[in-house]
Amino acid sequence: MIKNFDDVQKLSQQNLDAGMRTITEWNKGWQTIAAEMGDYSKRSFEEGTQTIEKLTGARSIEQAMEIQADFAKRAYEDYMAQWSKIGNLYAEFAREAMKPVERAFSNGR
């Protein structure tokens, strides 16, 4: 229990420190996700550009359809893998951001 003013100040400082650590972890998480999305966008654009180049060089309708089907399959698989990775990143950064708060609550008891 709080015995004097010094205890109140100490508790306030601990809460402030926990809040700042949470914000720092939150920012790191968003930066990681933003970088990952930037990389994915770049890969997707490059893949699309390469596919267009292949399509312009196709010698038959069948070959063009095969190129398009391969692209669609790769794009779908990459998209699903990317969103799975992003989901894991969200979960991880939420866990990391909450650790300082959890520590503050466990130390306050």
Side-chain angles (χ1 to χ4, degrees):
M1 193 101 257
I2 299 173
K3 294 181 179 121
N4 58 37
F5 185 70
D6 289 337
D7 289 343
V8 172
Q9 282 184 312
K10 183 179 177 185
L11 182 60
S12 295
Q13 185 61 45
Q14 289 172 346
N15 290 340
L16 180 62
D17 291 344
M20 292 304 293
R21 285 190 299 274
T22 297
I23 290 170
T24 299
E25 290 300 322
W26 191 262
N27 285 335
K28 284 183 200 175
W30 282 115
Q31 288 172 352
T32 301
I33 289 170
E36 186 61 40
M37 289 306 297
D39 291 345
Y40 171 71
S41 296
K42 182 179 177 184
R43 282 192 322 267
S44 295
F45 181 78
E46 289 171 352
E47 181 75 22
T49 302
Q50 290 171 358
T51 300
I52 290 171
E53 289 173 0
K54 289 178 186 176
L55 284 170
T56 58
R59 300 197 189 278
S60 67
I61 295 292
E62 292 81 18
Q63 187 181 20
M65 290 176 67
E66 185 179 327
I67 292 168
Q68 181 61 29
D70 288 343
F71 170 73
K73 181 181 178 206
R74 284 190 319 272
Y76 175 77
E77 289 171 352
D78 193 30
Y79 177 82
M80 296 306 290
Q82 183 66 27
W83 283 107
S84 176
K85 186 175 185 178
I86 293 296
N88 290 335
L89 286 172
Y90 272 117
E92 180 62 28
F93 106 70
R95 277 191 296 274
E96 290 299 316
M98 292 308 296
K99 282 183 182 179
V101 175
E102 290 171 356
R103 275 188 241 120
F105 279 114
S106 67
N107 291 339
R109 293 182 182 180

